[in-house]
């Protein structure tokens, strides 16, 4: 929850994530930890309370294209696994601003990117059109401040596995949206499993980069027939600095070199989907 606020605020605040911080209190002799978030008073409901028009001109009268694409860019960067219509709030007067809340399910480990969920906005016509100038500025700023954001997230003691996820998703937006003006809808499709039993495009490319970098990994079907991606636990990085892991600097560098080259190749090819 706090990491989502930090990411949004340090990148310009376009997703309107309310001020959030960690908190603790004592009850019955036990310390309970969680987060507190500023209450947003000027909302008129959640996205689930509104019907989004199918034509972009009409839809933009409800939520401006810049606003819709800003939400999409944020959710993609944090790899949101729980953006449903109930936790995307509408605020102000029409055309509405969007307020993003409920971020307890963001930034999974880079080897567990199998549950992207963008149901609140993925079918909106605003995200299917080319990125606006405002959206390009959002992605450009996210790229420019990525180093500072990662340093701040490390201070918040997020696992290095989660920091990799943020880096991967931010660079994917850079390559596709900023450099080649692909729609945020297309990029979202690279993260979503369709059908859910099969790996997403992004999962497949991460597996490919693992093989090139020498990181032991594989897909295998679970008891329900869902393909699950596995990375040798010796290469997991559950602490902020990646200590006690077999992931050397050379392996890490090769992994990102290969993965980002794949992103470049995809973005330049002009292909849709997987």
């Amino acid at each position: 929850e706090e990491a989502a606020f930090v990411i949004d605020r340090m990148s310009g605040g376009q997703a309107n994530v309310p001020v959030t911080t960690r908190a603790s209190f004592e009850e019955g002799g036990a310390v309970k930890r969680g987060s507190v978030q500023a209450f947003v008073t000027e909302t008129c409901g959640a996205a689930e309370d509104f019907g989004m028009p199918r034509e972009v001109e009409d839809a933009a009268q409800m939520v401006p294209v810049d606003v819709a694409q800003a939400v999409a860019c944020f959710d993609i960067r944090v790899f949101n696994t729980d953006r449903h219509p109930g936790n995307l709030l509408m605020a102000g007067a029409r055309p509405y601003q969007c307020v993003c809340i409920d971020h307890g399910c963001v930034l999974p480990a880079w080897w567990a990117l199998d549950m992207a969920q963008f149901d609140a906005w993925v079918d909106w016509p605003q995200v299917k059109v080319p990125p606006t100038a405002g959206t390009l500025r959002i992605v450009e700023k996210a790229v420019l401040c990525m180093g500072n954001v990662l340093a701040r997230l490390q201070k918040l003691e997020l696992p290095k596995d989660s920091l990799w996820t943020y880096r991967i998703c931010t660079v994917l937006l850079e390559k596709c949206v900023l450099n080649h003006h692909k729609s945020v809808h297309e990029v979202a499709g690279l993260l979503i499993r369709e059908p859910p039993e099969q790996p997403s495009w992004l999962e497949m490319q991460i597996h490919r980069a693992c093989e090139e970098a020498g990181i032991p990994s594989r897909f295998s079907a679970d008891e329900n027939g869902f393909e699950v991606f596995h990375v040798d636990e010796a290469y997991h990085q559950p602490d902020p600095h990646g200590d006690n892991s077999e992931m050397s600097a050379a392996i890490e560098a090769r992994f990102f070199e290969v993965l980002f080259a794949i992103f470049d190749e995809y973005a330049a090819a002009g292909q849709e989907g997987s």
Side-chain angles (χ1 to χ4, degrees):
E1 293 277 4
E2 185 179 21
F5 165 69
V6 167
I7 288 168
D8 183 47
R9 183 57 60 92
M10 291 184 69
S11 305
Q14 296 89 349
N16 294 315
V17 178
V19 175
T20 311
T21 188
R22 284 175 288 184
S24 63
F25 66 94
E26 186 174 332
E27 181 181 37
V31 176
K32 296 186 177 182
R33 294 179 173 85
S35 64
V36 292
Q37 187 172 78
F39 183 73
V40 182
T41 58
E42 298 181 358
T43 62
C44 48
E48 62 188 1
D49 300 320
F50 299 82
M52 186 62 67
R54 295 185 178 181
E55 299 299 324
V56 66
E57 294 81 6
D58 297 329
Q61 296 303 309
M62 179 173 289
V63 175
V65 175
D66 275 340
V67 172
Q69 292 188 5
V71 171
C73 286
F74 172 75
D75 280 342
I76 289 170
R77 282 159 51 216
V78 300
F79 199 92
N80 202 336
T81 66
D82 191 36
R83 177 63 71 211
H84 57 78
N87 61 23
L88 182 61
L89 306 182
M90 303 294 187
R94 185 169 175 159
Y96 303 113
Q97 292 296 309
C98 290
V99 177
C100 298
I101 62 170
D102 192 9
H103 299 113
C105 299
V106 302
L107 296 175
W110 64 272
W111 38 262
L113 303 182
D114 57 354
M115 295 183 66
Q117 181 181 335
F118 310 129
D119 293 357
W121 52 261
V122 73
D123 291 324
W124 287 3
Q126 301 98 311
V127 302
K128 297 179 181 180
V129 298
T132 66
T135 298
L136 296 178
R137 287 193 294 271
I138 288 173
V139 178
E140 182 178 31
K141 184 166 185 178
V143 172
L144 290 174
C145 70
M146 181 169 60
N148 291 334
V149 170
L150 289 170
R152 180 68 180 276
L153 296 179
Q154 189 177 58
K155 289 183 179 179
L156 292 179
E157 299 183 343
L158 262 70
K160 193 171 183 181
D161 284 331
S162 295
L163 303 186
W164 275 34
T165 294
Y166 182 75
R167 183 180 177 187
I168 289 168
C169 294
T170 300
V171 172
L172 181 60
L173 272 178
E174 176 192 14
K175 305 293 188 182
C176 292
V177 174
L178 183 60
N179 294 353
H180 292 278
H181 293 197
K182 292 185 177 294
S183 72
V184 289
H185 179 268
E186 179 177 344
V187 179
L190 302 178
L191 277 59
I192 297 171
R193 283 190 162 206
E194 188 59 46
E197 298 86 358
Q198 297 299 315
S200 68
W201 180 90
L202 180 58
E203 289 178 279
M204 294 294 291
Q205 309 321 311
I206 287 175
H207 179 41
R208 181 175 160 191
C210 283
E211 291 183 323
E212 291 286 340
I215 301 172
S217 62
R218 61 185 174 85
F219 283 100
S220 65
D222 66 12
E223 63 273 13
N224 297 312
F226 285 76
E227 290 292 321
V228 179
F229 185 51
H230 303 275
V231 168
D232 190 313
E233 289 189 8
Y235 292 81
H236 291 189
Q237 304 169 96
D239 67 86
H241 301 281
D243 296 333
N244 302 317
S245 171
E246 293 296 323
M247 192 74 73
S248 68
I251 292 175
E252 176 177 339
R254 179 58 178 162
F255 171 84
F256 283 116
E257 177 187 17
V258 172
L259 186 62
F260 295 164
I262 292 171
F263 291 174
D264 274 323
E265 180 183 7
Y266 171 85
Q271 59 194 41
E272 280 282 336
S274 58

